[in-house]
Amino acid sequence: MRISGPSTLKRSPTDTSDAMMLTFNAKWQGPLLAGEVEVVFRKQGPRGFVPTLMYTYMAAPISAIVARIPISSYAYVATEKAIELADRGSIDSDELRDYAKGLGSLLVMELGRVAVAKYPITYSYMSEHFNFWPSSTYIPLSATGIQLLDELGQFENINK
C-alpha cells in the first residue's frame, strides 16, 4: 500500500526541513512559471513548522514537479481579507470565495522568485523510486528529500 508522500522524501523526526510539496491543478502551471502568481491560497497547511520553500507538483496531465518557489510569508488570514488578495493570486475573487465557502480563514502564502525545473521530476519516476503518491493537501519534505529533488530537477531561477 502506498503512503501519502514519498517514504524517502517525506519529513521525519530525524530528517526535517522547512520545505513542502504542494499539488496544483495543471491549469496553474503557466501562471506559476510565468511569475504571475504572487500569492497562493490553501484551506490547510503545516502547523508544526513554518514552510519557507515549496516544490510545485502539477497534477495530470503534467504529473511532475515543475518548480521550486521560496515562501516569503505564511499566515492564516480571515477569509474576507484573503479574498481581497485574489488578484495577486491570479484567481477571480468569486472563484476564491467559492473555494473558501464556510471557512473563517485561509492560508495565504506569498511567493518569491520561481525556479523552474530544467528536468521536471515525473510522477512515474517518483512513484518508482520513492513510493510517491500525490497529496491533496501538502507533503512535508525532509532535508534529504530536498537535496534529491534539487539534484534531479536542477532548478533554474527565472526573471520575475
Side-chain angles (χ1 to χ4, degrees):
M1 184 169 128
R2 293 199 169 140
I3 60 170
S4 179
S7 57
T8 58
L9 300 178
K10 195 171 182 180
R11 180 184 174 114
S12 74
T14 59
D15 192 0
T16 65
S17 81
D18 291 334
M20 67 177 169
M21 185 184 312
L22 286 183
T23 300
F24 289 85
N25 183 299
K27 75 177 187 177
W28 290 103
Q29 180 172 339
L32 276 165
L33 296 187
E36 296 169 8
V37 178
E38 298 174 4
V39 175
V40 169
F41 305 95
R42 289 294 166 124
K43 293 178 182 177
Q44 59 183 333
R47 292 194 185 260
F49 72 99
V50 176
T52 59
L53 186 64
M54 82 166 68
Y55 289 80
T56 61
Y57 177 83
M58 294 295 155
I62 298 162
S63 303
I65 295 175
V66 299
R68 179 187 68 206
I69 309 171
I71 301 168
S72 59
S73 174
Y74 179 92
Y76 284 87
V77 175
T79 300
E80 286 307 312
K81 283 283 190 196
I83 290 169
E84 292 174 13
L85 301 171
D87 286 348
R88 292 189 58 213
S90 292
I91 187 170
D92 180 76
S93 58
D94 288 336
E95 183 180 354
L96 184 57
R97 186 174 281 107
D98 188 51
Y99 171 75
K101 195 173 211 160
L103 298 175
S105 65
L106 279 176
L107 174 57
V108 177
M109 293 174 274
E110 291 191 44
L111 307 181
R113 190 172 174 197
V114 176
V116 177
K118 184 175 180 181
Y119 304 105
I121 309 165
T122 64
Y123 166 81
S124 59
Y125 182 89
M126 290 190 299
S127 178
E128 180 182 341
H129 293 89
F130 306 121
N131 195 30
F132 174 78
W133 189 255
S135 170
S136 62
T137 55
Y138 63 91
I139 298 171
L141 298 172
S142 66
T144 303
I146 61 174
Q147 181 180 3
L148 289 166
L149 294 176
D150 286 348
E151 289 172 8
L152 291 166
Q154 296 185 26
F155 298 92
E156 300 174 336
N157 284 326
I158 60 168
N159 293 328
K160 186 172 177 181

